[in-house]
Amino acid sequence: MATLILVRHGRSTANTSGVLAGRTPGVALDERGAAQAAALPGRLAGLPLAAVVSSPLQRCLETVRPLVEARPGIETHQDDRISECDYGDWSGRKLSELADEPLMSVVQQHPSAAAFPGGESMRAMQARAVDAVRDWNTRVEAGHGEGALYLMCSHGDIIKSLVADALGMHLDLFQRIHADPCSVTAIRYTRLRPFVVRLGDTGDLGSLTPRENDAGGKKDGGGAAVVGGGSGAP
């Protein structure tokens, strides 16, 4: 079956301002994110991509634009099923404020039971994303043969949930996975099992430097995962 190249969108204005963007319109790449997107064609130059599938949100479309422009004629698609989690009433709020919400501990420790007020559950988010990947695997293989590669540009929590599925992990463990902005994760699907062959590859070790982060004041975030993904290296 196909090999899926998952790319998280480049760093956005919401990432740098510590806001949970969700599906809020008008969230663009910041200057660093635009540079990350511009570097993407070179990073993927050796890969014969059959298609590019993107979340319809602006920050994802901006991330794949240089790649699509560098490869005239490549199949391009948008799929709502790999759009950001619908965080409902949490969308647009500061992560520092959300850290005090009682639901946040559920999101961190028991995400399969978490449902965002006015939004969707994390189980529903994972289910739709996995369905999208299964459908695209079949479609890409039918059109381009076994062993074809294709790319999806999506969001941190979507990518983490897809990796958890590929690893056979319960959703309650998916907060142990991290994907920096514009990182590349690759999953090779076969008839019997998927293989995670790259995870959160940026080629940049700067994100390993201890620092104050989005998770709430402490250099290690108190062990908390950043909902929606972090901002990457400073």
Side-chain angles (χ1 to χ4, degrees):
M1 294 180 70
T3 295
L4 169 61
I5 310 298
L6 282 164
V7 176
R8 185 183 167 203
H9 61 77
R11 195 174 75 175
S12 72
T13 53
N15 293 145
T16 47
S17 60
V19 168
L20 185 63
R23 299 182 179 182
T24 306
V27 176
L29 299 183
D30 68 5
E31 185 176 354
R32 181 181 179 87
Q36 290 170 332
L40 196 57
R43 292 171 64 197
L44 302 176
L47 300 182
L49 297 175
V52 172
V53 185
S54 178
S55 157
L57 294 181
Q58 179 178 339
R59 54 196 182 274
C60 286
L61 296 176
E62 289 180 351
T63 298
V64 298
R65 185 177 300 146
L67 176 64
V68 171
E69 290 175 349
R71 300 197 185 199
I74 193 170
E75 289 182 32
T76 59
H77 309 271
Q78 295 180 33
D79 193 325
D80 289 335
R81 294 175 297 177
I82 60 168
S83 188
E84 180 64 285
C85 184
D86 184 355
Y87 297 116
D89 298 343
W90 279 25
S91 301
R93 293 182 60 188
K94 286 279 191 180
L95 287 162
S96 56
E97 298 173 2
L98 293 170
D100 296 327
E101 293 280 353
L103 177 61
M104 182 59 85
S105 61
V106 181
V107 171
Q108 292 291 332
Q109 300 176 43
H110 191 18
S112 66
F116 295 98
E120 70 179 332
S121 69
M122 301 199 90
R123 285 185 298 107
M125 174 200 73
Q126 183 186 44
R128 62 174 166 83
V130 170
D131 283 348
V133 167
R134 302 297 182 187
D135 289 348
W136 280 104
N137 283 350
T138 300
R139 181 170 175 176
V140 168
E141 184 176 357
H144 301 275
E146 291 185 7
L149 286 78
Y150 72 106
L151 181 145
M152 278 186 170
C153 184
S154 189
H155 307 267
D157 281 348
I158 296 289
I159 291 170
K160 288 161 57 178
S161 72
L162 289 171
V163 171
D165 173 75
L167 292 174
M169 292 170 55
H170 196 282
L171 183 62
D172 284 345
L173 301 178
F174 100 127
Q175 297 291 25
R176 301 184 183 194
I177 300 165
H178 186 74
D180 273 336
C182 225
S183 62
V184 174
T185 294
I187 304 172
R188 180 172 295 125
Y189 289 86
T190 75
R191 184 173 62 86
L192 297 180
R193 62 179 63 86
F195 294 89
V196 177
V197 293
R198 290 289 188 280
L199 179 59
D201 189 346
T202 64
D204 178 4
L205 299 181
S207 63
L208 300 180
T209 303
R211 67 188 191 279
E212 299 293 318
N213 62 30
D214 313 72
K218 299 180 182 178
K219 286 189 176 182
D220 65 355
V226 183
V227 180
S231 58

